Amino acid sequence: MTDEPDKSKFDRSCCPIACALDQLGDKWTLLIIRDLLLGKKRYQEFLASPEQIATNILADRLKKLEADGFVVQQAYQQNPVRYEYKLTQKGEDLAPVLQALVTWGKSHYPGSRVFKAVKP
Amino acid sequence: MTDEPDKSKFDRSCCPIACALDQLGDKWTLLIIRDLLLGKKRYQEFLASPEQIATNILADRLKKLEADGFVVQQAYQQNPVRYEYKLTQKGEDLAPVLQALVTWGKSHYPGSRVFKAVKP
DNA sequence: GTAAGTTACTTGCTTAATGCAAGTTACTCT
DNA sequence: AGAGTAACTTGCATTAAGCAAGTAACTTAC
């Protein structure tokens, strides 16, 4: 019952790459962050992305992204409460990582191309 | 029986991030590439990394990395044949992605730090 | 020259994550 | 009133990850 922070320091090692992959290392999380960086905010917008994420996985990832401090929820209506998701600074700071991935991906997967940002 | 390339175009979408994550989107693959960029070449060197990858997963990932063109094997002895692994250009081109992840990780996981490159 | 060690794996089994389809709640719009 | 929409949840099958142990073919130490 001490007041130690619940995070158990480093999951696998103190390497910043390992720390990052503990939270981002799967097939979906970075795609959701991509969508958020492109301006998407709502559940249906994420579902509409061409990669066809399953609804249970999307719900699970949004929960984890919030728990890990990448996004915050903001209610945009009551009864029932509905939330929009927006990136925190931690999440937005991933933009250079995604940008590097795009640069790499475009040169190694000819024909691939990025999507347009959604209108606000 | 046409001579179409065996790769089925794009796994999930034509987004370069999605293409990248189809091959790199897990907890281990980028850590092995990190090790290779740091100069590691052999099975035991990868196993010695502090994240403690399981032997079956390491063997599986090395196979996939070769199949996907990130690394090539080079025999360094016969009887039995033993291989070293080295990055292809495709693999080395991931350095900026890893660098961006390191920059992000160091600022968001205080106390994390990169390992030294191994001596050749 | 035998026994212990090293290297690069493979195999078997358990647990966790992913994927698919359908169901639910609380509205709004026609 | 009935259909539609948004944001999920639940159940179940498939796939991947994790753990421990085993194997083949040497090499080195005694």
Side-chain angles (χ1 to χ4, degrees):
Chain A
M1 296 293 191
T2 62
D3 63 337
E4 64 186 349
D6 53 352
K7 295 248 172 188
S8 56
K9 276 281 239 177
F10 302 119
D11 262 21
R12 288 187 294 182
S13 83
C14 66
C15 170
I17 300 172
C19 292
L21 293 178
D22 284 335
Q23 304 193 298
L24 304 168
D26 73 346
K27 278 196 172 358
W28 294 108
T29 303
L30 284 174
L31 288 182
I32 296 171
I33 289 172
R34 171 203 66 184
D35 283 353
L36 285 158
L37 285 168
L38 290 174
K40 295 189 178 185
K41 294 178 188 61
R42 297 187 184 180
Y43 200 85
Q44 291 301 321
E45 292 182 288
F46 303 127
L47 279 186
S49 288
E51 292 85 10
Q52 302 273 54
I53 189 171
T55 59
N56 55 344
I57 294 171
L58 176 56
D60 177 80
R61 290 305 183 281
L62 289 171
K63 236 172 256 169
K64 285 182 177 163
L65 283 171
E66 216 212 346
D68 292 342
F70 289 93
V71 302
V72 283
Q73 291 181 319
Q74 291 185 314
Y76 67 88
Q77 75 167 42
Q78 299 295 325
N79 253 322
V81 193
R82 289 287 153 83
Y83 297 100
E84 290 185 331
Y85 297 87
K86 66 184 287 266
L87 289 168
T88 59
Q89 191 62 48
K90 183 180 181 183
E92 287 200 17
D93 288 350
L94 283 168
V97 176
L98 275 286
Q99 188 49 61
L101 256 188
V102 166
T103 301
W104 179 85
K106 285 203 290 190
S107 90
H108 290 280
Y109 302 97
S112 70
R113 57 206 195 73
V114 292
F115 307 134
K116 275 184 275 191
V118 300
K119 296 172 193 172
Chain B
M1 295 295 188
T2 62
D3 64 336
E4 63 187 348
D6 54 350
K7 294 248 172 187
S8 56
K9 275 282 237 180
F10 302 118
D11 263 20
R12 288 187 295 181
S13 82
C14 66
C15 171
I17 300 173
C19 292
L21 293 178
D22 284 335
Q23 304 191 298
L24 305 169
D26 73 344
K27 279 196 169 1
W28 294 109
T29 303
L30 283 174
L31 289 182
I32 296 171
I33 289 171
R34 170 203 67 185
D35 284 352
L36 285 159
L37 285 168
L38 289 173
K40 295 189 177 184
K41 294 178 188 60
R42 296 185 185 181
Y43 200 85
Q44 291 299 322
E45 294 182 287
F46 303 126
L47 279 186
S49 289
E51 291 86 10
Q52 303 271 56
I53 190 171
T55 59
N56 54 345
I57 294 170
L58 176 56
D60 176 81
R61 289 306 184 281
L62 288 171
K63 235 172 259 170
K64 285 182 179 164
L65 282 170
E66 215 211 346
D68 293 341
F70 289 93
V71 303
V72 285
Q73 290 183 318
Q74 291 185 312
Y76 67 89
Q77 77 168 38
Q78 298 294 325
N79 253 323
V81 193
R82 287 289 154 81
Y83 298 100
E84 289 184 333
Y85 298 87
K86 65 182 288 265
L87 289 169
T88 59
Q89 191 61 48
K90 183 180 180 182
E92 287 200 18
D93 288 349
L94 283 169
V97 176
L98 275 286
Q99 188 49 61
L101 254 189
V102 166
T103 301
W104 180 85
K106 285 203 290 190
S107 90
H108 290 280
Y109 302 96
S112 69
R113 59 209 192 68
V114 292
F115 308 133
K116 275 183 277 194
V118 301
K119 296 170 195 171

